[in-house]
Amino acid sequence: MQVFDMIINGQPVKAGGTFDVINPATGQAFAQVQAGNATHVDAAVAAARAAFPAWSRTSDKHRQDLLHALGVALEEDMPALMELVTKESGKPLGGLNGIGSGMEVGGAIAWTHVTADLELPVEVIQDNDEARIEVHRKPLGVVASITPWNWPLMIAIWHVIPALRAGNTVVMKPSGLTPTATLRFAELANRILPPGVLNIVTGESGVGSAIAKHPDINKIVFTGSTPTGKNIMQNAAGNLKRLTLELGGNDAGIVLPDVDPKVVAPKLFGVGFHNNGQTCACLKRLYVHDSIYEEVVTELARIARHTVVGDGLAEGTQLGPVQNRAQLDFVNELVEDARANGARILSGGKARAGNGYFYEPTVIADAKDGMRVVDEEQFGPVLPVIRYSDIDEVIARANANENGLGGSIWSKDRAKAAALALQLECGTAWVNEHGAIQPDAPFGGVKQSGLGVEFGRYGLEEYTSIQTLKVMKS
């Protein structure tokens, strides 16, 4: 069994013990990881703090070159990284519509290169005979990254690369459920970056709490649940840490009556079920007009019944297992609540017997607002479909949820759909698509779905402070 070490100040570090990493397709351990603690967090922060002055003074061009070299190293290590991602998260190598561990590692590579090329030029506010006023973007210091289990490597890249590009140093804490690919990334990075620039500490709640409270950390970027995000926010108040929080999503999609059910259903299924629905910006509440409702739910259920579920390492697998036992139990709980409250389970509706955490792709008809499976983020292979007849009413229903990450409108009339999409209370709205993101367009939530944005220039700015320079000329 492979054993992974933490990396602090460029060196592998062992703790007093280890913990197992479980393959959700088998329910068995496949790796062991060091069980770090607050002492290791202190050491990692001290290393990052010591490395910050030199790294922040490194030229933009040199930092860019090193990050591009890291992108190349990820590409060269892609097969091994894909296998680790599949074993720890359960997502297939290929996956539904090509969204699997290959896409995750490929996306991590692309995000690394695109982010490395981002620029934050000096902005000139005034330049006349009286004075020149410039706005400079300066790195914050030590940035801490806390990542979830659903896209472990990709989200680590989203956090770390812009932090490094802006001139910060980093301390990472991956999810204890999925730390191995991120540890491998940190190992590759430390072959390229100066010691102390990127450190990684593994462990559970004690490590996260130590990071949130640490007085020498200047910013935390966190992706995960809203309750945990609120807890981090409270603990970060001690030294007014900057925060970027990408939190829960319960995204609504609204299908207008002008679409062809057989054409739109495969697209809806793909955006609702990829990665087993374990994506913050998956479609999780589907509102369909009365006139086409039965056709749409029937087609969605047909697709679900023909979807190949199995071990992500097996050829042809489209959906893997739910990542962990607790999440599997939660998904089952929501489906049983819907069943008890009169919903129709058109496909799936149960966990598979045997090893692993497999749940059959489940389409729920006659779901209603107020049911737990609609109001709560299920984060699993389950899609509740809700009827509507009035567009203004359904926009209001979609907006009534406390989350506001993403939303979508589906229609042949793109102009009408775009106007409706702008009425959705969410950070990103799509037309005839859902969840598609890219490294040059900002992404983030409103309401209870988070603070700040990631990606592109807007995301890079979040890793900096503004300094205004005024030079008098007379």
Side-chain angles (χ1 to χ4, degrees), residues 279-341:
T279 298
C280 294
C282 262
L283 175 61
K284 299 191 176 80
R285 296 179 287 147
L286 179 60
Y287 294 88
V288 177
H289 192 270
D290 261 331
S291 62
I292 56 171
Y293 183 88
E294 289 298 338
E295 293 176 87
V296 170
V297 294
T298 298
E299 189 63 16
L300 286 170
R302 184 194 66 79
I303 296 168
R305 288 191 291 269
H306 287 86
T307 299
V308 180
V309 178
D311 190 324
L313 294 174
E315 187 175 352
T317 297
Q318 293 175 293
L319 296 181
V322 175
Q323 199 283 324
N324 59 82
R325 169 64 68 181
Q327 190 62 30
L328 178 69
D329 291 343
F330 178 70
V331 168
N332 188 66
E333 183 180 312
L334 294 186
V335 173
E336 290 308 309
D337 179 80
R339 196 193 311 267
N341 283 282

Side-chain angles (χ1 to χ4, degrees), residues 85-143:
V85 168
T86 294
K87 284 183 175 179
E88 68 184 0
S89 73
K91 63 172 59 71
L93 296 170
L96 182 68
N97 296 340
I99 301 178
S101 60
M103 180 268 191
E104 176 159 1
V105 179
I109 294 164
W111 247 271
T112 298
H113 287 302
V114 171
T115 305
D117 283 334
L118 293 175
E119 302 278 358
L120 290 177
V122 174
E123 181 182 356
V124 178
I125 301 296
Q126 175 184 327
D127 191 12
N128 56 21
D129 292 341
E130 178 188 5
R132 179 180 173 90
I133 301 176
E134 301 173 345
V135 177
H136 294 252
R137 289 280 178 174
K138 301 180 72 173
L140 296 168
V142 178
V143 172

Side-chain angles (χ1 to χ4, degrees), residues 61-319:
K61 177 63 167 60
H62 187 53
R63 284 204 299 266
Q64 286 179 310
D65 288 345
L66 291 177
L67 293 179
H68 281 304
L70 178 51
V72 172
L74 290 170
E75 188 168 5
E76 291 173 345
D77 205 51
M78 188 170 181
L81 286 167
M82 286 173 59
E83 183 174 340
L84 288 175
V85 168
T86 294
K87 284 183 175 179
E88 68 184 0
S89 73
K91 63 172 59 71
L93 296 170
L96 182 68
N97 296 340
I99 301 178
S101 60
M103 180 268 191
E104 176 159 1
V105 179
I109 294 164
W111 247 271
T112 298
H113 287 302
V114 171
T115 305
D117 283 334
L118 293 175
E119 302 278 358
L120 290 177
V122 174
E123 181 182 356
V124 178
I125 301 296
Q126 175 184 327
D127 191 12
N128 56 21
D129 292 341
E130 178 188 5
R132 179 180 173 90
I133 301 176
E134 301 173 345
V135 177
H136 294 252
R137 289 280 178 174
K138 301 180 72 173
L140 296 168
V142 178
V143 172
S145 159
I146 303 176
T147 53
W149 49 258
N150 58 326
W151 291 92
L153 178 64
M154 179 98 87
I155 293 176
I157 293 292
W158 292 351
H159 291 185
V160 169
I161 301 302
L164 297 176
R165 174 66 190 90
N168 302 284
T169 53
V170 176
V171 175
M172 306 171 66
K173 181 215 171 293
S175 166
L177 296 170
T178 55
T180 64
T182 310
L183 284 159
R184 178 61 179 166
F185 156 62
E187 180 185 338
L188 295 172
N190 273 275
R191 297 175 185 174
I192 296 166
L193 302 173
V197 169
L198 178 61
N199 309 273
I200 185 165
V201 179
T202 48
E204 288 308 289
S205 59
V207 172
S209 177
I211 287 173
K213 296 175 182 177
H214 206 289
D216 287 331
I217 290 175
N218 303 96
K219 176 184 173 72
I220 296 175
V221 52
F222 168 75
T223 301
S225 73
T226 298
T228 302
K230 290 179 178 179
N231 187 56
I232 288 172
M233 193 172 184
Q234 289 174 336
N235 287 323
N239 68 332
L240 296 180
K241 291 179 178 64
R242 303 291 183 92
L243 295 171
T244 299
L245 304 175
E246 196 266 272
L247 307 177
N250 195 7
D251 289 10
I254 300 172
V255 181
L256 301 191
D258 63 349
V259 304
D260 182 336
K262 289 190 180 299
V263 172
V264 78
K267 298 176 183 177
L268 294 171
F269 187 87
V271 299
F273 284 87
H274 74 79
N275 197 36
N276 246 7
Q278 298 171 126
T279 298
C280 294
C282 262
L283 175 61
K284 299 191 176 80
R285 296 179 287 147
L286 179 60
Y287 294 88
V288 177
H289 192 270
D290 261 331
S291 62
I292 56 171
Y293 183 88
E294 289 298 338
E295 293 176 87
V296 170
V297 294
T298 298
E299 189 63 16
L300 286 170
R302 184 194 66 79
I303 296 168
R305 288 191 291 269
H306 287 86
T307 299
V308 180
V309 178
D311 190 324
L313 294 174
E315 187 175 352
T317 297
Q318 293 175 293
L319 296 181

Side-chain angles (χ1 to χ4, degrees), residues 457-470:
R457 177 176 62 84
Y458 296 97
L460 186 59
E461 287 176 350
E462 301 233 356
Y463 292 86
T464 66
S465 61
I466 287 177
Q467 184 176 49
T468 302
L469 176 67
K470 183 173 184 177

